[in-house]
C-alpha cells in the first residue's frame, strides 16, 4: 500500500554513470515496466529501490518516507530475481515461509499465509520439494510465492521470465498480470523485452544509457514516440527508419532520401521543418502495404519495388523490400502468397509517418 | 597391444601404491611386535609374535609409564582442536569479507596473507623462540595454539573465500529483501550453503596442526605442552631407541588423520581448486 517516488536519482560506479538524474512517480497499485537495451541501468535502478545498491545522489521515497538510508529489510519490498535465487537448502514451503520466520510471525500465521500463496500459484503438490527438484517454471512460481507471502508494499521484478522458454514465458506473463489484478500492489518490473513491457504495463519507462527516454502508457509510446529510439524500440517488427533531407521543390516541402527519392511532407508537419534540415523518416510495417492486397490510403505515396523476401506467419505476412537503398518491411494481414523477386506496388500511408530530427532524434 | 598397455599401467599403479604404503604398513606391523624383532635381519614382514604391549604401556594400563603418551595425546587433541576452532572462525570471517566486500588494498592484503603462508615455518623458529621466551609463553599450550592459528588463518581464509564465492550473491540479497540483516542472511543462508566447504577447511586446518613438528619442537619443552609428534622423541634414549613404542605412537597419530582425510577427500580437490580461482 504505497507509492514509490524517485527524485533525481543518480548512480555512479567510479567514472561510469549507470543512472543519471532519474525522476519517477509510481502511484499505488501501478504496474510500471522499466524497459531498455542491455546496460541501460534498469537493474541498477531496481536495486537502488530495493536498497541493495547505494544511491550516489537524489532521494527515493516509499510511501512518504525517504528510504535512502534504510536497509532492504526495513523497506517492506519483495524482489524476484532473474535466476530466482531460491534457498537451495530449504524446501518450497520453507522458502515461502522464510521471511515470516525471520519476522518472528507465529507458526499458524506462517502456515495460513504459505498455504494461501501455494494455492494462488498452484504449488500444493510441491511443498516438500527442494528447489533442485523443480522445473524452471516451478522455480519461477516459488520465487513469486516467496515475494507474495511477505505482503510487501511493492514488488520488484528483475527480468523474471528471461530464463523460461517462449511458451512458458507467455503463460507466466498472463499469470503475473492476473496476480497483479488480484493483489493490487505496486509493481516495478524490469525487462528488455518490449512485448513483455507492452502486455504487462500500465505505464512503461523507456531507458537508454541511464536516462529516461520517455514515460507513457503502452499505446502512447506506440502512437506518439518522443524519440527515434523509442519509435524503433517499441513495436515488432521495428519501425522502418530512413535518413532524408528536407528540400523545397517549387514551393512544396519534400523529404529527399540519399538516393534521390522524394516524398511530399504531410501538411500538418510542414511548419516545424526548415529546408536543408536532416531528418529521419519513420513508418510502421503495417502502414506500407502492397496495393494489390490492400486498400489505397487516402493520403499516400506509392512505389514499385522488388520483394527481397516474404515471411508468411499465418495471420500476417512480412514482406521485405527496398525503398531506395534501404530495406524496409511491410506487413499485410491478407493471407496471400507473395514470392521473392516479384515486383509489387506498395502504398505508404503518409498520415501515419513519423519524422525525427536528424541530430537530436526528437520527434517533429 | 592395448591389452599390454593396460597391464603395464596397472602394474605401475600397483608398484607406486606399494611404494607409498610400505612405510605405513611397516609402522603398523612394528607397533604390534617386540622391539628386537624390528631390528632383525633380514626384515621380518609378518610378526612372529603379536603384542599390544606398547599400547598398554603407552596408556599406562599396567601402571608403569615410561613415556606419558596419553598426556601427549591430550595435548595434541586440545591444541589442534582449539587452534582449529579459532582459525576457522577467523578464516570464515576473513574469507567472507574477501568474497563479498570491496575495500581498499583488498588484493594486496590477500596477497600478503598468501605470502605469509609461503615462508618456511622453520625459518621463524629462532625469532619465535626468543619472542615467546621473553613473553613467558614458551612451553605452554597457549603458545603452540597461537602459532598454529597464525599458520592456519591464511589457509582457511583462502579456502573459505573460494567457497563463499561459489554462492551467488543474489542469495544474500534476496534474504535481505526478505527481512534479514546482513548477519541473519549470513547465518541463515550463506553459512549453511558454505557449510560443507567450511567443514573441509576446518579438517585441513586440524590436520596441519595435528601433524606439525618443526615449530612445536622449538617451543614445547616438557610434558606440559608437548604434542604427539614431539612426544615420540621420548623413545629416543641415549643408548637405545624404542622403535616399537615410536611406531605405536605413530599409529595413534595416523588413525584420526586417516579418518578425517576420508571424510574430507571429496572436498579435497574441489576445495583447493576453487580457492585457486582467486589470484
Ligand atoms: N558493480 C558495478 N561496477 C561497475 N559498473 C557497473 C556495476 N554494475 C553495473 N554497472 C554498469 O552500470 C550500467 C547499468 O547496468 P545495469 O545492470 O543496471 O544494466 P541493465 O539495464 O540491467 O542491463 P541488462 O538488461 O543487461 O540486465 C552498465 O553499464 C554496467 O556496466
Ligand atoms: Mg539487468
Amino acid at each position: 500500500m504505497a507509492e514509490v517516488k524517485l527524485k533525481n536519482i543518480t548512480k555512479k560506479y567510479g567514472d561510469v554513470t549507470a543512472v543519471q538524474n532519474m525522476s519517477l512517480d509510481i502511484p499505488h497499485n501501478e504496474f510500471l515496466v522499466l524497459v531498455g537495451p542491455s546496460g541501460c541501468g534498469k537493474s541498477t535502478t531496481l536495486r537502488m529501490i530495493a536498497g541493495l545498491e547505494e544511491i550516489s545522489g537524489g532521494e527515493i521515497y516509499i510511501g512518504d518516507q525517504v528510504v535512502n538510508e534504510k536497509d532492504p529489510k526495513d523497506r517492506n519490498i519483495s524482489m524476484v530475481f532473474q535466476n530466482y535465487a531460491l534457498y537451495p537448502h530449504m524446501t518450497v514451503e520453507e522458502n515461502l515461509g522464510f521471511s515470516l520466520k525471520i519476522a518472528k510471525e507465529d507458526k499458524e500465521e506462517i502456515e495460513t499465509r504459505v498455504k494461501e500463496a501455494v494455492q494462488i500459484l498452484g504449488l500444493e503438490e510441491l511443498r516438500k520439494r527442494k528447489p533442485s527438484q523443480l522445473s524452471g517454471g516451478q522455480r519461477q512460481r516459488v520465487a513469486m510465492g516467496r515475494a507474495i507471502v511477505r505482503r510487501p508494499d511493492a514488488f520488484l521484478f528483475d527480468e523474471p521470465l528471461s530464463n523460461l522458454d517462449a511458451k512458458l514465458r507467455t503463460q507466466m506473463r498472463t499469470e503475473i498480470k492476473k496476480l497483479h489484478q488480484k493483489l493490487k500492489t505496486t509493481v516495478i518490473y524490469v525487462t528488455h523485452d518490449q512485448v513483455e513491457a507492452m502486455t504487462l504495463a500500465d505505464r512503461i519507462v523507456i531507458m537508454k544509457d541511464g536516462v529516461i527516454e520517455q514515460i507513457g502508457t503502452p499505446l502512447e509510446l506506440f502512437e506518439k514516440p518522443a524519440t527515434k529510439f523509442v519509435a524503433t524500440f517499441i513495436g515488432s517488427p521495428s519501425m522502418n527508419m530512413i535518413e532524408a533531407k528536407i528540400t523545397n521543390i517549387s514551393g512544396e516541402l519534400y523529404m529527399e532520401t540519399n538516393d534521390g527519392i522524394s516524398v511530399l511532407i504531410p501538411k500538418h508537419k510542414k511548419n516545424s521543418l526548415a529546408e536543408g534540415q536532416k531528418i529521419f523518416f519513420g513508418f510502421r510495417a503495417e502502414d506500407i502495404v502492397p496495393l494489390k492486397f490492400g486498400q489505397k490510403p487516402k493520403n499516400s505515396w506509392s512505389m514499385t519495388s522488388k520483394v527481397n523476401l516474404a515471411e508468411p506467419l499465418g495471420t500476417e505476412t512480412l514482406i521485405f523490400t527496398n525503398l531506395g537503398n534501404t530495406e524496409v518491411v511491410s506487413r499485410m494481414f491478407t493471407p496471400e502468397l507473395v514470392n521473392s523477386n516479384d515486383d509489387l506496388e506498395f502504398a505508404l500511408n503518409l498520415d501515419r509517418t513519423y519524422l525525427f530530427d536528424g541530430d537530436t532524434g526528437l520527434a517533429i | 597391444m592395448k591389452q599390454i598397455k593396460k597391464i603395464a599401467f596397472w602394474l605401475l599403479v600397483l608398484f607406486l601404491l606399494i611404494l607409498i604404503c610400505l612405510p605405513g604398513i611397516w609402522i603398523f606391523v612394528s607397533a604390534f611386535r617386540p622391539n628386537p624383532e624390528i631390528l632383525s635381519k633380514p626384515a621380518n614382514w609378518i610378526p612372529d609374535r603379536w603384542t599390544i604391549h606398547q599400547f598398554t604401556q603407552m596408556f599406562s594400563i599396567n601402571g608403569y609409564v615410561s613415556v606419558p603418551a596419553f598426556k601427549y595425546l591430550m595435548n595434541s587433541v586440545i591444541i589442534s582442536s582449539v587452534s582449529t576452532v579459532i582459525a576457522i572462525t577467523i578464516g570464515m570471517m576473513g574469507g567472507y569479507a574477501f568474497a563479498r566486500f570491496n575495500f581498499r588494498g583488498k588484493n594486496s592484503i590477500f596477497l600478503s596473507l598468501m605470502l605469509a603462508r609461503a615462508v618456511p615455518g622453520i625459518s621463524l623458529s629462532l625469532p619465535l623462540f626468543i619472542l615467546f621466551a621473553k613473553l613467558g609463553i614458551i612451553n605452554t599450550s597457549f603458545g603452540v595454539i597461537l602459532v598454529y592459528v597464525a599458520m592456519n588463518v591464511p589457509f582457511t581464509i583462502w579456502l573459505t573465500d573460494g567457497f563463499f564465492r561459489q554462492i551467488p550473491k543474489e542469495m544474500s540479497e534476496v534474504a535481505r529483501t526478505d527481512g534479514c540483516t546482513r548477519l541473519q542472511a549470513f547465518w541463515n543462508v550463506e553459512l549453511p550453503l558454505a557449510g560443507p566447504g567450511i567443514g573441509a577447511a576446518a579438517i585441513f586446518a586440524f590436520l596441519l596442526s595435528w601433524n606439525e613438528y618443526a615449530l612445536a619442537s622449538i617451543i614445547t619443552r616438557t610434558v606440559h605442552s608437548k604434542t604427539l609428534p614431539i612426544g615420540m622423541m621420548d623413545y629416543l634414549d641415549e643408548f637405545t631407541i624404542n622403535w616399537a613404542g615410536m611406531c605405536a605412537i605413530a599409529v595413534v597419530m595416523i588413525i584420526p588423520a586417516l579418518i578425517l582425510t576420508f571424510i574430507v577427500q571429496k572436498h579435497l580437490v574441489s576445495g583447493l581448486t576453487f580457492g585457486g580461482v582467486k589470484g
Side-chain angles (χ1 to χ4, degrees):
Chain A
M1 289 285 165
E3 52 182 2
V4 178
K5 254 188 238 161
L6 313 189
K7 274 197 183 157
N8 306 319
I9 290 300
T10 297
K11 175 72 195 182
K12 291 198 167 106
Y13 293 106
D15 296 338
V16 186
T17 306
V19 175
Q20 190 162 21
N21 221 5
M22 180 165 175
S23 293
L24 196 57
D25 266 12
I26 309 160
H28 170 61
N29 194 17
E30 181 171 67
F31 200 122
L32 184 97
V33 175
L34 290 177
V35 67
S38 188
C40 70
K42 308 179 295 286
S43 299
T44 307
T45 307
L46 203 67
R47 292 166 56 81
M48 285 192 287
I49 299 173
L52 297 170
E53 211 74 65
E54 262 177 55
I55 303 166
S56 315
E59 276 156 2
I60 294 182
Y61 293 79
I62 298 179
D64 40 20
Q65 290 182 29
V66 181
V67 295
N68 284 26
E69 300 296 325
K70 279 196 178 180
D71 270 345
K73 73 177 172 63
D74 299 322
R75 298 192 183 196
N76 200 27
I77 38 87
S78 282
M79 186 149 169
V80 177
F81 288 81
Q82 180 173 5
N83 61 4
Y84 318 138
L86 300 178
Y87 309 124
H89 56 304
M90 298 182 197
T91 61
V92 168
E93 58 182 17
E94 285 166 345
N95 263 283
L96 294 178
F98 180 71
S99 61
L100 302 178
K101 205 175 114 199
I102 291 294
K104 302 219 163 53
E105 295 282 353
D106 60 56
K107 281 232 171 68
E108 278 163 39
E109 175 69 11
I110 297 181
E111 174 57 27
T112 19
R113 276 159 78 172
V114 167
K115 205 165 178 175
E116 192 183 79
V118 155
Q119 271 164 3
I120 293 177
L121 294 163
L123 293 167
E124 287 97 338
E125 315 285 297
L126 310 172
R127 289 186 65 156
K128 302 284 178 207
R129 297 232 194 130
K130 290 273 177 68
S132 57
Q133 300 163 311
L134 300 176
S135 72
Q138 291 165 338
R139 282 179 208 185
Q140 168 60 47
R141 259 171 238 261
V142 177
M144 293 210 302
R146 189 170 56 178
I148 293 173
V149 162
R150 220 178 149 215
R151 301 199 179 141
D153 284 339
F155 287 107
L156 310 179
F157 290 91
D158 193 353
E159 309 205 14
L161 305 183
S162 56
N163 282 351
L164 302 178
D165 64 50
K167 197 172 159 207
L168 205 52
R169 200 179 312 158
T170 325
Q171 187 189 333
M172 288 306 290
R173 204 167 68 199
T174 323
E175 276 191 43
I176 290 180
K177 183 106 188 174
K178 280 187 191 151
L179 204 63
H180 174 245
Q181 280 161 1
K182 195 180 303 180
L183 298 175
K184 306 217 180 309
T185 316
T186 312
V187 174
I188 306 171
Y189 186 105
V190 163
T191 177
H192 60 248
D193 178 354
Q194 57 94 17
V195 180
E196 230 170 272
M198 295 289 276
T199 49
L200 284 172
D202 293 329
R203 276 197 308 159
I204 298 178
V205 175
I206 300 200
M207 294 182 68
K208 187 191 166 203
D209 302 332
V211 200
I212 296 181
E213 285 271 313
Q214 190 175 2
I215 307 177
T217 64
L219 279 184
E220 276 168 10
L221 297 188
F222 188 79
E223 289 297 329
K224 298 196 185 71
T227 64
K228 172 177 167 251
F229 174 79
V230 174
T232 44
F233 193 83
I234 296 285
S236 168
S238 212
M239 186 186 278
N240 295 304
M241 202 57 76
I242 291 164
E243 249 185 295
K245 211 166 76 184
I246 303 294
T247 53
N248 189 333
I249 305 175
S250 51
E252 293 279 7
L253 287 187
Y254 285 81
M255 53 201 156
E256 190 187 319
T257 64
N258 297 340
D259 27 51
I261 296 173
S262 299
V263 181
L264 186 68
I265 299 270
K267 284 197 186 65
H268 61 281
K269 296 266 165 87
K270 262 183 193 164
N271 296 333
S272 28
L273 293 167
E275 197 184 334
Q277 187 179 0
K278 273 197 237 150
I279 60 157
F280 286 100
F281 165 53
F283 52 92
R284 298 210 182 269
E286 51 272 31
D287 297 320
I288 180 166
V289 285
L291 261 183
K292 214 165 105 187
F293 305 119
Q295 260 186 343
K296 190 171 165 135
K298 208 162 62 211
N299 183 11
S300 71
W301 172 85
S302 321
M303 66 167 189
T304 302
S305 173
K306 197 193 283 173
V307 173
N308 297 338
L309 182 76
E311 288 179 349
L313 299 171
T315 51
E316 60 185 51
T317 305
L318 298 183
I319 303 164
F320 295 85
T321 184
N322 272 17
L323 196 164
N325 294 334
T326 319
E327 187 170 70
V328 296
V329 52
S330 146
R331 164 155 53 189
M332 64 167 193
F333 294 97
T334 10
E336 297 280 354
L337 199 63
V338 177
N339 295 318
S340 301
N341 295 327
D342 281 2
D343 274 323
L344 285 180
E345 191 181 6
F346 291 90
L348 168 64
N349 184 349
L350 287 177
D351 290 332
R352 291 193 45 83
T353 54
Y354 297 85
L355 302 184
F356 302 95
D357 187 88
D359 299 319
T360 60
L362 292 177
I364 297 168
Chain B
M1 193 59 208
K2 228 173 149 189
Q3 204 76 24
I4 293 170
K5 256 191 188 162
K6 215 168 165 183
I7 290 169
F9 172 76
W10 285 111
L11 280 177
L12 187 72
V13 169
L14 189 70
F15 172 72
L16 288 174
L17 263 181
I18 289 171
L19 211 64
I20 292 164
C21 291
L22 257 185
I25 293 168
W26 183 250
I27 285 171
F28 190 80
V29 293
S30 301
F32 291 95
R33 62 180 164 199
N35 203 29
E37 204 184 306
I38 297 172
L39 301 171
S40 68
K41 270 185 198 165
N44 182 5
W45 278 95
I46 297 160
D48 294 333
R49 192 160 66 82
W50 291 85
T51 165
I52 56 164
H53 170 73
Q54 293 302 339
F55 292 91
T56 55
Q57 205 194 35
M58 189 156 67
F59 295 113
S60 63
I61 287 165
N62 53 10
Y64 165 75
V65 178
S66 65
V67 173
F70 186 69
K71 177 69 178 142
Y72 295 153
L73 177 65
M74 283 299 109
N75 285 346
S76 261
V77 169
I78 290 166
I79 288 171
S80 302
S81 316
V82 174
S83 67
T84 298
V85 169
I86 298 173
I88 198 69
T89 310
I90 298 175
M92 206 163 71
M93 295 192 281
Y96 186 78
F98 279 114
R100 283 287 187 267
F101 297 106
N102 272 316
F103 43 90
R104 267 182 46 187
K106 176 169 159 174
N107 285 331
S108 18
I109 295 174
F110 196 82
L111 191 68
S112 43
L113 276 171
M114 295 309 117
L115 283 178
R117 195 71 190 80
V119 175
I122 196 75
S123 68
L124 296 174
S125 55
L126 191 62
L128 211 56
F129 179 79
I130 296 168
L131 191 68
F132 275 30
K134 288 246 159 86
L135 288 173
I137 53 172
I138 204 92
N139 194 25
T140 59
S141 304
F142 173 74
V144 188
I145 289 170
L146 204 62
V147 172
Y148 288 176
V149 167
M151 178 176 85
N152 276 324
V153 159
F155 185 64
T156 50
I157 286 181
W158 179 58
L159 279 180
T160 48
D161 167 77
F163 289 117
F164 282 123
R165 242 164 240 277
Q166 291 267 307
I167 302 170
K169 76 175 192 323
E170 282 90 354
M171 230 64 264
S172 87
E173 289 177 348
V174 83
R176 285 166 64 208
T177 57
D178 256 353
C180 290
T181 58
R182 257 190 195 276
L183 191 67
Q184 282 173 317
F186 175 77
W187 195 253
N188 289 300
V189 177
E190 289 172 296
L191 190 60
L193 293 179
I198 290 171
I203 290 179
F204 281 128
F206 183 89
L207 289 176
L208 273 173
S209 309
W210 185 257
N211 295 330
E212 207 282 335
Y213 177 82
L215 290 173
S217 71
I218 308 288
I219 51 179
T220 65
R221 307 267 101 191
T222 65
V223 70
H224 222 58
S225 63
K226 277 193 192 175
T227 54
L228 275 178
I230 312 301
M232 196 188 270
M233 286 299 147
D234 286 6
Y235 289 101
L236 271 169
D237 276 345
E238 207 170 333
F239 303 109
T240 60
I241 300 173
N242 182 356
W243 289 112
M246 275 185 156
C247 289
I249 276 207
V251 168
V252 170
M253 263 187 68
I254 288 169
I255 285 171
L258 216 56
I259 293 170
L260 290 176
T261 308
F262 266 116
I263 296 174
V264 83
Q265 65 167 349
K266 190 173 67 167
H267 295 281
L268 212 111
V269 176
S270 70
L272 292 172
T273 46
F274 28 97
V277 170
K278 168 99 215 217

